[in-house]
Amino acid sequence: MPQLRLALNQIDSTVGDLAGNAESIVHWTRHSAEQGAHLVAFPEMALTGYPVEDLALRSSFVTASRDALHALAARLGAEGMGEVPVVVGYLDRSETARPRLGRPAGAPQNAAAVLHRGGVALTFAKHHLPNYGVFDEFRYFVPGDTLPVIRVHGVDVALAICEDLWQDGGRVPATRSAGAGLLLSVNASPYEREKDDTRLELVRERAREAGCTTAYLAMIGGQDELVFDGDSIVVDPAGEVIARAPQFSEGCVLIDLDLPAAGEVPSGIVDDGLRLDHVTLSAEPLPPYEAELTAGYADRLDDDEEVYSALVVGLRAYAAKNGFRSVLIGLSGGIDSALVAAIACDALGAPNVHGVSMPSRYSSEHSRDDAAELAERTGLNYRTVEIGPMFDSYMAALGLTGVAEENLQSRLRGTTLMALSNQEGHIVLAPGNKSELACGYSTLYGDSVGAYGPIKDVYKTSVFRLARWRNRAAEARGQTPPIPENSISKPPSAELRPGQVDTDSLPDYDTLDGILELYVDRDRGRDAIVAAGFDLELVNRVLRMVDTAEYKRRQYPPGTKISAKGFGKDRRLPITNRWRESG
């Protein structure tokens, strides 16, 4: 059987950085070529970054993407890499789609190209366009209508883009009809908790359906709220895994594949009305290798390590790609700010993390001590700013009571953090978790201030679990656990009045998170939640809190998405809304 050395480059791209992304593609193509690769691939929209959102509707950006693609092809040829076919994702436009109501202006396409011998040998666009969760691709793109196939060293390779594998029909069955020996899919595929198992089963199923070896290449890194975990996979026609790349790690997976020889050049219309677009790049098979490369199977991360890694990668990417070098965190001594501080230290390095303790008259001594201990354990920069004098001045002028008095403390802390941010150039990290955001248990312009919320998609019960995991991981490596035990074990409290604990206002977190997971993540109604075993009165209370807090969530900063339905693009509800599940 003919052989082919495939190079799958799971790289991190930055949206809009055409020059920087092209430089990365050149670097990894050179690496792949030096390792003897015969076909090199990069992720979905690697040249433009993903997702480009409304940039797709700007004709200037589409033109810049196309120009950058041709310049990249010419550069690869000029620098001695032109003989190696390179598959790279980019933003294109359809030349045949006519303007009409409901079609994106300019007919942009989520496309990929095959670069060869200094030029563009083949282009194609994503056929299936996702329109769920964080995806709005019907808004931005028009679909492709071809099955692209390239013949490389006597092997026919069918090409696809991400959703083409996730949806039934289209390019997968068309690959079988065309008799291709390899199906190569380039993907962005944002991370979600436990998605790696779903992804593996999907690739196995599609390989069996296509009847050929299938390679699934995914992006890594972060873009705004999205994280990409890599986890590229190659399986044989029976669905058995022959290579799997690490999660959250940039690099090149090289693998030698024994593939069936191509037959007659296929043509015509194949499954789902797709027109076959076949280009022969090299017809003759390669001579047998002296030694074959076996890519191997990277160890999987356990669930907690996977989620924690996603949170670290998300914050690191957001800071680096937006030019921020340091962060500022209000340290209360509680579990949320402690976990955010640990994530920040792992993402940016402790010297670039600044913690501020801002005690008031209601702050317990142990909370002050816990904040200081966290700083000592992690090595982050630490200071104390007393808010008592500010609080007294406001109270003398306004005479606030009750909730207004409590929230004043939080707002003074928020103002202090933003003032230090302006003065010193750090970005503020908001420490709110998903349970609090769901119920509106936060103070606008207080603890909700910040440029990024690292744990905004992490329920409180998971906050505790991740904190314990991070400490265990440190102990296993012979390091000091970053989070004080007291921050984990003590009852959570905002400490805005004497003796206050979270359960004064919220159910216990195990119960609360169970209800929220059904209502927020799974869109279950009240009756279904009660049928799952929760008390009717409690369900009504929680659902009312969630429904009335939408205006707060709209004003919360972006943060890393780790679930199938995070607050933001995943879950879009009207602020002005009189429908209540609770009656």
Side-chain angles (χ1 to χ4, degrees), residues 10 30 83 87 96 104 110 176 206 222 224 234 299 325 361 374 383 400 410 416 436 470 476 507 522 525 541 558 576:
Q10 52 180 46
R30 181 176 291 109
E83 291 302 315
V87 182
T96 59
N110 180 340
R176 178 184 283 273
R206 296 310 188 207
D224 293 344
V234 183
D299 291 337
R325 293 191 295 268
R361 67 179 66 172
L374 171 75
R383 76 187 90 172
L400 302 177
S410 181
T416 299
E436 295 172 346
R470 182 61 184 85
R522 302 192 192 182
R541 178 185 161 208
T576 305

Side-chain angles (χ1 to χ4, degrees), residues 358-360 363 387 408-418 445-446 449 494-496:
M358 296 167 285
S360 74
S363 299
I387 67 166
L408 173 61
Q409 299 166 72
S410 181
R411 292 194 174 107
L412 288 171
R413 292 179 174 123
T415 299
T416 299
L417 290 172
M418 292 310 301
Y445 324 118
V449 303
E495 293 193 333
L496 299 178

